[in-house]
Amino acid sequence: MTWSELTNSPRITKEQFQAQLAKYPKSSILIACTKLSVGFGYGPDACTVPPDQVVDLHIPIVFPPVLVPHVNWWVHQEGRLPFFNGQLRYLAAETVRLQPEHPVPEIPEKGPQNYRFGELMLQSGELLYKKHVIVENELDGYANIAAEFLPSYEITSPTDPIFSFLRFYIWLTKILPRLPAHLLKFDLEAEFQKLFPFPIITYAEFIATFALHAVRERQNQTYDKPIDATLRRGWFKNTNIPETTIEQMFETVSFSLDNMPEPKDTLGYADFEFLKDRPYFLFNGEMYMLDYEFALGKLESAVIWRVLRTFPNNKKDPWLSYWGLVFEDYVTWMFETYAEPALHKLYPNPRYVSSTDQICDQIIICGDTAVLIEAKLATCTAADRYSGDYEKIKGYLEDKLVKTKGVHQLLNAVKRFGAKGDDVPDYLKGIKKIIPVIITRDDFGGCWGVNAYLNKRFKDQLSTKSHKGVVVTPLVSMNISCLERMMWVLQEKAFADVMEERIETDPTLRQPFDAAVKYVQRGAAPKLHAHVEAYKELNERLIVDFGVKEEEVSESPVQE
C-alpha cells in the first residue's frame, strides 16, 4: 500500500519527504523506529512483515481516525500490505542523513504524533522504488533483474538473523581451529584488537546479549502498555564485565547526535550502509536497536569489514582470500556434518592426478552423478549492489563469478573430465552426469536473475565435444543461507536429486533458489544438531561471563 494510493495524491519526492522529517527532532523519529520494530515483531525468525492481528492493532494507532476505514478497506478487501520492515529502515536512514539548516531542539516528546507514523511509513515504502529499465540483450536482462530485485530480496530476507550470527560464530569456533596452520596467514585476534579493546569472543557475547534483550522485548510485548525497547547499562548489572568495557562496546555499535555521519551521496534507495555499521542509536546514555538484522550482523561486519578498512591495498585481497578459505571449509563442514554418507561421497578440495591444480572446491558423488561445487565469498560492493545499474551488476558477476573462478573453473573441470585421460581421479571415471553448482556467501547467489545469468555464461562456453557420453546439466546457483535452510533434507535425499528438482521446477532458472526449491524453509533452519550445540555453547558462555540467568537465555533458532 502506498500513501499516494490511499490519499489519491501525487507520489511524494525524496526532497518533500526530507522536508517533512526536518520538522521533527531526529531522536523522536529514531526512537519511534525502534519501538515500532518491537511492536511489529520484526527480526526474529526472519519476520519482515507483521502478523495480521498485529497489523489490525496498529492501524488505528498510526493513522488518523478519518483514514482508518480506508486503510482497512485496502488491507482487508484488496489484500494490500501496509507495513514491512523496509519502511522503518528507510525512515531511519533518511533521518540520519538529514542536514537541516535550522535543526529543531532534540526533545523526543516534540516528535510526530502517533497517527502521523502511518503516513511516514507508507511514504517510506513508496520511496523504496526504482523505475524499471527495459533492456533488449538477454544477458543484460538477467543482470537487470538482479539489479532491480536484490534490494527487495535483502529487505524481505528469508534468513533468521540469529542464524547468520551463529554461522559466523561457528566460523570462529569450529572452522578456523580445524584449518591447517599454513593457511592461517593472519593473526586474527591481533588484527581485531587493534580496533577493539576486547577479544573477539567477548564481542560475540555482547552481540548475543544485545540480541537476547531484543528478543525478550518482542516476546514480552502485550500491546496494552507503552513499548520501552531501551537497552540500558543496567541490563549488564550481573556481569563480570567492567563498566568501561560496556561503555566501549556501546560506542562500537552505535551513533549519537554528537557523532552523526558526514553527508554522502546515496548509492540507491536501499543504501543502509551506515545503519549496518551502526545499528544502534545512543541517546541520553541509552541504546535503541534500529534494526535487528543489522545488529546481529555486527559480529561478521566488525571482524571482516571493519578490519579490512584498516588495511593498505596490498593486504585487502589476501584478507578476503583468507575468509574465502574459511567459507569454503564451512561448506565442506556442512556436508560432512549433515549429509547422509550413504547418499553422498564428499571430496573436499579435489585435485587432478597429473598436477596440483584444484578441480573445484568440493565434489559430491551421488550414485553415478558428480556435483561440482564452487564456493565463493563473492562480495559485491555497496556501490554496485545498490546502484540499480545492470552494467555494474554485470561487471560484478563477470569479475567475481564468471572469470578465473566460478563458471570458468567449472567449465575447465568439465573439459578436462571429458578428455577421458589419466588426469581425472578414479572416483570420477564411472560418472554419467555432472551438475555444476555455485554457492555464494553473498546473498547475490540466490537472487532473481543471477542463476539464469551464470547458467547462460556457462552454456554459451560449453562445447558438446568436451563431454561426450556424459550429461552436463544447467548450472545451479544459490547462497549459503539457501544451503543451510535445505540441509535437513540431505539427511534423507541426495543433493544431486534436489539440484535436478530445482532445474525442473524452474527451467528458466530466473527465480531465486529458495522460491524454486520446496525444501528451503523460511526462518530458522531445522534439524541442524551441530548448530544447536554451538548455540548451547554460546548460551553457556553468556551464563558464565555475563551473568545471564539460565531461564533468560533464548531457545535455539535451529529446530532440533
Side-chain angles (χ1 to χ4, degrees):
M1 183 194 303
T2 65
W3 182 251
S4 59
E5 288 177 316
L6 179 64
T7 59
N8 196 25
S9 59
R11 293 180 71 96
I12 192 170
T13 67
K14 183 175 179 178
E15 292 71 27
Q16 290 170 331
F17 185 66
Q18 289 179 323
Q20 285 192 72
L21 298 183
K23 299 174 184 177
Y24 304 110
K26 290 184 177 183
S27 55
S28 66
I29 296 176
L30 294 172
I31 291 171
C33 285
T34 296
K35 294 183 177 183
L36 284 165
S37 182
V38 171
F40 288 135
Y42 292 152
D45 203 26
C47 176
T48 58
V49 174
D52 292 346
Q53 65 271 25
V54 175
V55 169
D56 290 339
L57 280 169
H58 279 81
I59 287 174
I61 297 173
V62 300
F63 289 101
V66 67
L67 286 180
V68 169
H70 301 284
V71 175
N72 280 324
W73 183 86
W74 277 101
V75 172
H76 296 293
Q77 299 301 318
E78 293 296 309
R80 301 298 286 275
L81 181 70
F83 310 124
F84 62 97
N85 191 35
Q87 295 166 327
L88 297 184
R89 284 185 180 174
Y90 190 87
L91 180 56
E94 289 304 309
T95 301
V96 170
R97 292 187 183 110
L98 276 178
Q99 300 289 329
E101 293 183 13
H102 306 288
V104 296
E106 284 299 334
I107 305 171
E109 293 75 19
K110 298 292 185 180
Q113 296 295 313
N114 287 343
Y115 65 79
R116 291 298 310 279
F117 277 95
E119 175 183 351
L120 293 174
M121 283 188 287
L122 292 192
Q123 289 172 339
S124 294
E126 195 162 334
L127 289 166
L128 287 167
Y129 165 80
K130 179 183 178 295
K131 188 176 180 180
H132 175 63
V133 176
I134 298 175
V135 294
E136 300 298 331
N137 178 276
E138 184 180 0
L139 268 180
D140 290 349
Y142 294 144
N144 193 44
I145 292 171
E148 291 184 352
F149 280 96
L150 178 67
S152 299
Y153 186 78
E154 288 187 346
I155 288 170
T156 59
S157 174
T159 305
D160 189 333
I162 194 69
F163 200 87
S164 298
F165 167 87
L166 187 58
R167 176 197 306 142
F168 196 75
Y169 179 79
I170 288 172
W171 288 16
L172 296 173
T173 58
K174 295 186 183 298
I175 305 305
L176 277 168
R178 77 186 218 139
L179 288 177
H182 71 276
L183 295 179
L184 304 177
K185 304 293 186 182
F186 291 87
D187 184 338
L188 179 57
E189 196 67 61
E191 297 293 351
F192 183 80
Q193 291 196 39
K194 289 177 184 176
L195 282 176
F196 302 96
F198 29 70
I200 294 174
I201 200 66
T202 301
Y203 190 89
E205 291 175 298
F206 265 116
I207 298 297
T209 307
F210 291 172
L212 176 61
H213 174 270
V215 170
R216 286 172 61 84
E217 285 289 312
R218 285 155 174 78
Q219 290 175 340
N220 294 338
Q221 178 56 31
T222 59
Y223 301 103
D224 59 356
K225 58 184 179 181
I227 297 172
D228 183 12
T230 309
L231 179 58
R232 300 180 176 85
R233 288 169 178 78
W235 178 255
F236 301 94
K237 63 184 178 181
N238 296 323
T239 72
N240 301 319
I241 307 297
E243 190 168 333
T244 53
T245 303
I246 297 171
E247 193 77 32
Q248 290 167 332
M249 183 61 194
F250 272 33
E251 291 174 1
T252 71
V253 298
S254 67
F255 68 94
S256 67
L257 296 173
D258 298 326
N259 68 344
M260 300 290 277
E262 292 294 324
K264 293 181 180 179
D265 291 338
T266 354
L267 301 173
Y269 68 78
D271 174 12
F272 306 124
E273 289 302 290
F274 178 76
L275 292 181
K276 288 180 180 179
D277 191 48
R278 304 276 179 171
Y280 290 87
F281 173 52
L282 184 61
F283 186 73
N284 289 342
E286 298 174 339
M287 285 213 307
Y288 297 86
M289 180 189 280
L290 294 171
D291 192 281
Y292 180 86
E293 180 183 351
F294 294 165
L296 267 294
K298 280 304 301 172
L299 177 60
E300 180 175 337
S301 68
V303 176
I304 298 183
W305 309 113
R306 282 262 193 111
V307 172
L308 176 72
R309 293 204 296 260
T310 68
F311 286 152
N313 288 337
N314 65 343
K315 288 183 69 176
K316 289 184 176 181
D317 283 345
W319 177 251
L320 292 176
S321 296
Y322 171 87
W323 287 105
L325 290 172
V326 175
F327 176 64
E328 289 171 20
D329 197 58
Y330 176 67
V331 173
T332 296
W333 176 83
M334 289 274 288
F335 280 100
E336 288 175 349
T337 306
Y338 298 119
E340 170 55 50
L343 301 174
H344 307 85
K345 292 182 180 178
L346 172 66
Y347 297 90
N349 193 24
R351 304 280 168 169
Y352 294 104
V353 174
S354 61
S355 69
T356 59
D357 293 348
Q358 187 188 55
I359 301 174
C360 55
D361 292 322
Q362 295 91 8
I363 293 177
I364 299 172
I365 306 295
C366 305
D368 58 6
T369 298
V371 183
L372 276 54
I373 298 175
E374 279 283 275
K376 298 299 158 205
L377 206 61
T379 304
C380 182
T381 65
D384 288 344
R385 75 190 300 120
Y386 302 126
S387 65
D389 185 339
Y390 74 87
E391 291 283 5
K392 290 184 177 181
I393 297 306
K394 189 175 178 181
Y396 156 76
L397 292 171
E398 290 293 323
D399 291 342
K400 297 290 187 178
L401 296 174
V402 175
K403 299 174 181 176
T404 69
K405 296 289 185 181
V407 170
H408 174 83
Q409 185 97 347
L410 293 168
L411 282 166
N412 190 51
V414 171
K415 180 180 178 180
R416 293 179 72 164
F417 177 83
K420 304 292 186 183
D422 295 332
D423 209 16
V424 177
D426 288 342
Y427 58 81
L428 286 177
K429 290 184 176 177
I431 292 302
K432 297 179 180 178
K433 182 182 292 185
I434 292 175
I435 303 177
V437 172
I438 293 177
I439 302 173
T440 65
R441 161 59 191 88
D442 196 290
D443 284 343
F444 244 116
C447 181
W448 287 89
V450 170
N451 198 156
Y453 184 99
L454 296 176
N455 180 58
K456 179 165 175 55
R457 293 292 282 122
F458 179 79
K459 287 293 187 182
D460 283 352
Q461 301 173 71
L462 182 66
S463 168
T464 54
K465 295 179 181 179
S466 67
H467 57 92
K468 283 184 178 180
V470 177
V471 174
V472 179
T473 73
L475 181 148
V476 174
S477 76
M478 71 184 84
N479 57 43
I480 188 60
S481 169
C482 293
L483 180 66
E484 290 165 338
R485 289 180 288 122
M486 62 154 278
M487 208 71 206
W488 65 275
V489 81
L490 302 190
Q491 297 167 32
E492 55 194 58
K493 193 177 187 69
F495 187 55
D497 292 341
V498 177
M499 296 303 97
E500 295 210 65
E501 284 187 36
R502 188 270 181 268
I503 296 166
E504 291 167 6
T505 302
D506 172 34
T508 67
L509 299 175
R510 291 175 58 168
Q511 294 182 20
F513 184 90
D514 46 4
V517 178
K518 62 185 178 183
Y519 309 111
V520 185
Q521 301 187 5
R522 183 179 181 87
K527 299 181 182 180
L528 301 187
H529 60 85
H531 285 70
V532 171
E533 289 305 312
Y535 194 79
K536 289 178 179 177
E537 172 197 303
L538 175 62
N539 280 340
E540 289 169 4
R541 288 181 183 273
L542 297 183
I543 292 169
V544 173
D545 297 339
F546 278 64
V548 175
K549 295 179 181 178
E550 192 166 347
E551 62 271 18
E552 290 179 337
V553 296
S554 58
E555 294 182 4
S556 170
V558 188
Q559 305 164 34
E560 295 192 62

